[in-house]
Amino acid sequence: MSVVYVSNADSRAISVLRLDDDGALTLVESQPVNGAVMPLAMSPDHRYLYASLRSAPFAVAVFATDPATGRLTPLSTAPLPDNMAYLATDRSGRYLLSASYSGDKIAVSPIASDGSVGPPIVVESTPPHAHSILTDPSNRYLFAAALGGDAILQYRFDAVTGRLTSNEPPRVETAPGAGPRHLVFHPSGSFAFVTNELDGTVNSFRFESATGTLTLIASASVLPPEDGGPPWTSELRGTPDGRYLYVAERTSSTITGFRIDPATGLLDALGPTPTETRPRGFAIDPSGRFLVVAGQQSGAVTSYAIDPATGSLTPRQRLGVGHDPNWVEIVEYRQGIG
């Protein structure tokens, strides 16, 4: 069984849900948090959950996870250098990575063996509105999307010291006004995909593992053909087998699926699926069987079964959570959930 963690900003709480083998959702607990909680990040060993508190004083709350139940135990809170809109750990779990949309910066903070987060060792200014930060599968390179700068910043990452060095070239430009937001890597390590918030597209990039650089392959539309509102994409996630990519679009309240060509990285649109109102965050479970999406305006989440043959989404269960649910993480604990 798997556990779903959902941050509810206005409720100042994290919902802990059980995801059953049939896609059913059950509330395990609602864990209070001392701030407007938004982005979440799980440690690679699944022992710790990190939550960004985006109301002053800006901080990261650290929780221990119970592998038997999924419940959270508050451990510590550490200051962050700004209002951080995105959290991730590096692939080793030794560093917490964060990006500030309002502060135009990224940061790297050390993580101790007990999961606690220390003062940042790197705080780097970026073009306007840094919106995500992530290391590549090898943990040798780091990327940050700057939405207001229409650029993806490229760094060399020292996994021993946590230090960053600008790569060559130091950035990859997107189309003017595209607004690159979030980035994910294909399981093969050969491609990366970036959702563009402001023009309603998703870009495919070839990832050169020897140099740690991205090269644009193509761009695909996320917006449903009949939608007439301004584009406003949010999250993107891929299935663990690398066959499908999904992108959430908030204006139309839809999730668009794409079939990924494993040889070229090109995307073939499968069409949109109506979902929760203003879907800001969603995640796919480690088995690749289910997708869970949160609606900021609906105050609810819905689980979907992913058809392995077609990539289509079939709703399984809808469950109310809290006010302004916006981030979803799904973890599979080997002990199972009691």
Side-chain angles (χ1 to χ4, degrees):
M1 296 183 190
S2 297
V3 174
V4 182
Y5 297 100
V6 181
S7 62
N8 304 282
D10 292 345
S11 298
R12 300 192 171 205
I14 299 172
S15 298
V16 181
L17 314 175
R18 187 179 71 221
L19 175 64
D20 290 329
D21 287 340
D22 59 356
L25 296 168
T26 303
L27 178 66
V28 175
E29 71 167 341
S30 181
Q31 175 65 232
V33 180
N34 294 323
V37 59
M38 297 189 78
L40 304 175
M42 181 65 64
S43 64
D45 61 7
H46 301 164
R47 293 177 62 195
Y48 304 108
L49 181 72
Y50 301 92
S52 177
L53 307 182
R54 298 189 64 186
S55 52
F58 306 125
V60 56
V62 184
F63 299 87
T65 62
D66 183 341
T69 65
R71 290 177 179 270
L72 300 174
T73 300
L75 292 182
S76 59
T77 301
L80 289 176
D82 214 313
N83 179 343
M84 297 316 221
Y86 193 100
L87 293 183
T89 69
D90 78 316
R91 305 289 173 165
S92 72
R94 294 180 57 194
Y95 297 98
L96 182 73
L97 316 174
S98 55
S100 176
Y101 178 90
S102 57
D104 309 329
K105 62 174 65 78
I106 57 173
V108 179
S109 304
I111 298 174
S113 58
D114 63 358
S116 61
V117 176
I121 57 177
V122 174
V123 178
E124 182 102 2
S125 296
T126 68
H129 305 327
H131 219 319
S132 60
I133 181 171
L134 193 70
T135 56
D136 81 299
S138 76
N139 214 37
R140 294 185 299 145
Y141 304 103
L142 182 144
F143 299 86
L147 185 148
D150 291 322
I152 302 164
L153 309 181
Q154 304 186 132
Y155 299 91
R156 297 183 184 94
F157 176 67
D158 187 326
V160 176
T161 66
R163 299 291 177 179
L164 304 180
T165 306
S166 289
N167 207 343
E168 182 58 43
R171 66 173 63 193
V172 176
E173 307 288 342
T174 63
R181 179 182 171 97
H182 286 181
L183 177 149
V184 296
F185 283 91
H186 189 265
S188 69
S190 299
F191 308 107
F193 305 97
V194 175
T195 181
N196 296 305
E197 179 175 323
L198 304 181
D199 73 356
T201 63
V202 57
N203 288 349
S204 299
F205 291 89
R206 181 169 297 281
F207 176 59
E208 305 295 343
S209 59
T211 61
T213 56
L214 300 173
T215 302
L216 181 65
I217 299 171
S219 183
S221 175
V222 174
L223 281 173
E226 69 276 7
D227 185 77
W232 200 18
T233 64
S234 53
E235 188 62 273
L236 84 166
R237 304 270 188 162
T239 54
D241 62 9
R243 297 180 63 193
Y244 302 109
L245 182 76
Y246 299 88
V247 183
E249 205 288 315
R250 288 171 284 184
T251 297
S252 58
S253 294
T254 56
I255 292 182
T256 295
F258 297 88
R259 182 177 288 105
I260 303 170
D261 186 317
T264 65
L266 292 173
L267 300 175
D268 180 24
L270 304 174
T273 298
T275 190
E276 296 289 339
T277 307
R278 192 176 289 179
R280 174 158 179 164
F282 71 90
I284 295 171
D285 83 300
S287 74
R289 297 172 57 206
F290 300 106
L291 181 153
V292 179
V293 59
Q296 278 192 287
Q297 289 190 340
S298 67
V301 298
T302 294
S303 61
Y304 295 86
I306 301 173
D307 188 317
T310 65
S312 63
L313 302 178
T314 301
R316 282 291 184 252
Q317 185 177 350
R318 186 170 190 260
L319 186 68
V321 281
H323 300 295
D324 191 6
N326 61 85
W327 200 278
V328 182
E329 291 290 334
I330 306 178
V331 180
E332 184 176 0
Y333 293 108
R334 292 182 179 179
Q335 288 185 223
I337 308 299

